[in-house]
Structures are given as C-alpha cells and as structure tokens.
Amino acid sequence: MLSFHNACSVPSSFWLTGIPGLESLHIWLSIPFGSMYLVAVVGNITILAVVRIERSLHQPMYFFLCMLAVIDLVLSTSTMPKLLAIFWFGAGSIGLDACLCQMFLIHCFATVESGIFLAMAFDRYVAICNPLRHSMVLTQAVVGRLGLAALLRGVLYIGPLPIMIRLRLPLYKTQVISHSYCEHMAVVALTCGDSRVNNVYGLSIGFLVLILDSVAIAASYVMIFRAVMGLATPEARLKTLGTCGSHVCAILIFYIPIAVSSLIHRFGHRVPPPIHTLLANFYLLIPPILNPVVYAVRTKQIRDRLLQILRTGTKIR
C-alpha cells in the first residue's frame, strides 16, 4: 500500500497523477486521447501492411518508414494504455522497475526515431545528389545496419539513465509523480540525493540527439537543395523537391513538439503543470498520428495502394 509523505524512503512503487490539476476532467480527456491512440495504432499498422504487400514499395525510403511506424507504435503504446487506465479506473500505481522500464522505452525510442530521420536524410541525399549509385549504396543490408545502429545508439545513450537512478538515487521524498508517465526529470525531481550527474547526463544526451541530429539533417538538405537548384527545368526541380516533402514534414512533426516540451520543462517554470503534461503527451502522440497521414497523402504509391484496397473492400461488400 502506498504511503504519501515527505520523509525520504525507498519506494517499491509510484503513483502517477495523470494530468495534474485536471483530475475532474479525466473521464472526458480519455475520449480525445483514446481516439488519438486508436488512430495512431491503425495508421501505423496500415503503413506496415501496405509496404509489406506492395512489392514496388520495397525500397530504402519505405523500409525506413516501416521502422518509423514500429517506433511510433512503441512510443504511443508505452504511455497511452497506462494513461487511459488512469483516466478510466484511477489506476495510477506503477512499480519502481516498471516505471524505470517505461522511462527507458520512451527516451530510447525517441532517440532511435531521431536516428532513423538522420538515416532517411542520408537516403534522400544519395538518391538526389548521386542517383546512379543509390541502389548500390543503400542496399537492404545497409538499410538494416543503419536501423540497427540507430537502435544501438538509443540503447547506449539512454540505458545509463534508469541504471543511474536505480543505483545512485534510491531515496525519494514522495511517491507521487505529478505526471502521466515516468518522464526522466519528473522522477529525478523526487529524489533525495544529489541529482546533478543525472541532470548533466540528461542534458548532454538531449544536446547530442536534438541539436546534432537536426544540424546534420539540415546540412544534408542544404546540399540537396543546392543539387536541386542545378536541375535544368522548374518541373524537374518541383518533382525532386516533392519527393522530400513527406520527409521534411515528418521531421518537423517530430522535432518541434519535442523541442517545445523540452524548453518548457527546463525553463518554463511559470507554465501551469496541466499545460506541460499535456504537451509532453502530445509529443508522444502527434508523430504517431501524423506520420502515416503525411506519407499516405504525399506518397503516390502508398496512396494508390490504399485506394485500391478500399475499392476492393467496397466491391466485396
């Protein structure tokens, strides 16, 4: 049984509050959050199914898209079922190890997703700046290795976070986490020990992932833009830029919410807790919802295959 007090203790579990300050609205908040989670799951599973069925989509860009779909499913599923359980049943209790596991999954796969976007930028760079060598450079084996490298980087970067908390910060002032999931800084803020090492490490990883990856992606698109501007006709330029449009939209959908949430967490001390918690949940939900929509709308092969499946289903009925 949980005991909520201010004395330092070694907890076996925590209590997630959901959206602090909006507890009376939890049942109503479950409607939009549940709907968004359902859309995210259906959309990403649909992308995986379409790419698997359509052999013309067995290309590096779509293999990376499938990796994004899997990552988005992990990110949304690591938080939304628990959040909905809090909304519906008040089931805020979460074990210490389960909390640290959730923390690892969220931050690890957000890091992996950033790595996949970096790999996709490299794919677009080779496809546009050196198209004759694209099929030789981006083979299926290379695509697999890039995906594995992004996963290993996420594990190596984020793995120490829960381990440092478990080993260095065993005592907590309270067991109540004023958040809807076990976010790193929200958990560290409850500890009684010296958390400077954890804070510095977390900031360093955030810098490496958010800043360096975005700079590398921006540099690749500068080179792509220069190559596109060298094409002979405006039609060729527009067509080539159009192939990058989906990728650019997905990058902005991923980086803008996470950057805003991080800045508010670090510096927005006057931002009301409900706003901060809602933004933190949106950055885990918005990319999984919008990535399938963006690629389905802007990618002709996926759009055509989806329409064909829908027409077939209508004829069967």
Side-chain angles (χ1 to χ4, degrees):
M1 187 167 177
L2 293 173
S3 60
F4 305 122
H5 49 77
N6 292 323
C8 291
S9 61
V10 180
S12 59
S13 61
F14 294 105
W15 185 267
L16 295 167
T17 60
I19 310 297
L22 298 179
E23 287 84 358
S24 61
L25 299 177
H26 274 181
I27 194 66
W28 297 106
L29 288 171
S30 69
I31 298 172
F33 275 97
S35 301
M36 288 189 288
Y37 177 54
L38 180 62
V39 170
V41 170
V42 172
N44 284 287
I45 289 177
T46 300
I47 290 291
L48 290 170
V50 169
V51 174
R52 186 178 187 277
I53 293 168
E54 185 58 53
R55 295 191 63 85
S56 66
L57 298 178
H58 291 184
Q59 302 172 30
M61 176 180 172
Y62 302 106
F63 291 143
F64 286 129
L65 177 57
C66 287
M67 294 179 195
L68 281 184
V70 172
I71 293 166
D72 286 340
L73 286 170
V74 172
L75 282 174
S76 56
T77 303
S78 64
T79 56
M80 283 305 111
K82 182 61 179 177
L83 180 60
L84 293 174
I86 294 171
F87 286 164
W88 290 333
F89 312 114
S93 179
I94 184 170
L96 174 59
D97 291 332
C99 182
L100 295 178
C101 180
Q102 185 188 55
M103 177 197 302
F104 171 77
L105 286 173
I106 293 167
H107 294 295
C108 175
F109 278 90
T111 303
V112 175
E113 184 156 3
S114 182
I116 296 300
F117 279 127
L118 187 58
M120 292 176 77
F122 174 68
D123 168 61
R124 291 299 85 203
Y125 168 74
V126 176
I128 292 171
C129 297
N130 200 352
L132 297 178
R133 291 182 53 82
H134 181 253
S135 60
M136 292 183 287
V137 174
L138 271 297
T139 62
Q140 289 191 16
V142 170
V143 171
R145 291 191 194 103
L146 288 173
L148 181 60
L151 177 61
L152 290 176
R153 187 185 72 152
V155 172
L156 291 174
Y157 279 10
I158 305 302
L161 287 179
I163 294 173
M164 285 193 296
I165 290 175
R166 198 74 163 90
L167 298 180
R168 295 187 67 257
L169 303 169
L171 298 175
Y172 293 82
K173 292 172 282 190
T174 176
Q175 295 166 291
V176 180
I177 302 176
S178 296
H179 212 294
S180 59
Y181 59 84
C182 292
E183 198 270 338
H184 175 247
M185 291 307 300
V187 174
V188 169
L190 304 181
T191 60
C192 294
D194 185 356
S195 60
R196 283 177 295 181
V197 173
N198 298 70
N199 290 333
V200 170
Y201 185 80
L203 282 171
S204 302
I205 294 301
F207 174 81
L208 285 172
V209 174
L210 192 62
I211 305 300
L212 296 187
D213 282 10
S214 58
V215 167
I217 291 170
S220 72
Y221 269 92
V222 168
M223 291 185 282
I224 288 171
F225 184 75
R226 289 175 60 186
V228 169
M229 289 301 101
L231 295 176
T233 64
E235 291 78 11
R237 294 172 194 166
L238 287 173
K239 183 178 179 181
T240 306
L241 286 174
T243 63
C244 301
S246 301
H247 186 214
V248 172
C249 289
I251 289 170
L252 294 175
I253 288 166
F254 175 74
Y255 281 106
I256 290 176
I258 198 172
V260 170
S261 180
S262 298
L263 288 172
I264 288 176
H265 194 92
R266 302 288 179 183
F267 307 111
H269 303 298
R270 295 184 180 179
V271 176
I275 300 299
H276 172 230
T277 306
L278 286 170
L279 286 173
N281 280 282
F282 286 151
Y283 102 70
L284 294 177
L285 264 179
I286 289 174
I289 291 170
L290 293 184
N291 282 345
V293 175
V294 166
Y295 281 99
V297 169
R298 295 188 60 89
T299 305
K300 186 176 185 300
Q301 294 97 318
I302 294 178
R303 187 171 65 247
D304 291 347
R305 185 62 181 178
L306 279 174
L307 290 173
Q308 182 183 345
I309 292 171
L310 291 173
R311 290 194 197 100
T312 303
T314 303
K315 289 178 181 177
I316 290 173
R317 291 195 200 96

